[in-house]
Amino acid sequence: MKKIILSLALILNVATTPLYAAAFVIRHIQFEGLQLISPQTVYTYLPVKEGQTLRPGQTGEIIRALYKTGFFEHISLAHSANTLILHFLARHSP
């Protein structure tokens, strides 16, 4: 049941992400809401890097890669100009 809810949340999150509009060159990556891990750690898991072009179909890949880490309860993406913005809600340990 938990996997179904997570999958549904992932689909809804990707479907509402405004990054589907058009491709853009990532000049900066901004992290918001990180608490337990460093931006450098998250950066190592990202399938895209600064200087690359982010295409509309890649947003799901980014979210899946970050969810696989197990660090986050919620992830959303946005962009402003050429900045990719990642919003996080950390997973709390049991």
Side-chain angles (χ1 to χ4, degrees):
M1 180 71 170
K2 189 175 182 180
K3 285 187 178 186
I4 292 171
I5 293 172
L6 180 61
S7 296
L8 186 56
L10 177 63
I11 290 167
L12 291 174
N13 188 31
V14 171
T16 59
T17 301
L19 292 176
Y20 276 101
F24 70 97
V25 175
I26 303 168
R27 296 288 178 222
H28 304 284
I29 299 176
Q30 179 179 329
F31 302 101
E32 296 181 354
L34 288 179
Q35 297 174 1
L36 304 175
I37 61 174
S38 70
Q40 293 81 9
T41 299
V42 176
Y43 195 76
T44 64
Y45 291 103
L46 283 176
V48 295
K49 306 294 182 209
E50 292 174 347
Q52 292 181 326
T53 300
L54 179 64
R55 304 203 187 299
Q58 291 178 286
T59 57
E61 178 185 350
I62 293 168
I63 291 173
R64 280 189 296 278
L66 294 173
Y67 270 124
K68 283 169 107 177
T69 66
F71 294 137
F72 308 109
E73 185 173 319
H74 180 75
I75 303 165
S76 63
L77 306 177
H79 78 93
S80 176
N82 287 0
T83 299
L84 174 62
I85 305 166
L86 293 94
H87 302 273
F88 300 99
L89 178 61
R91 180 174 304 279
H92 299 289
S93 31

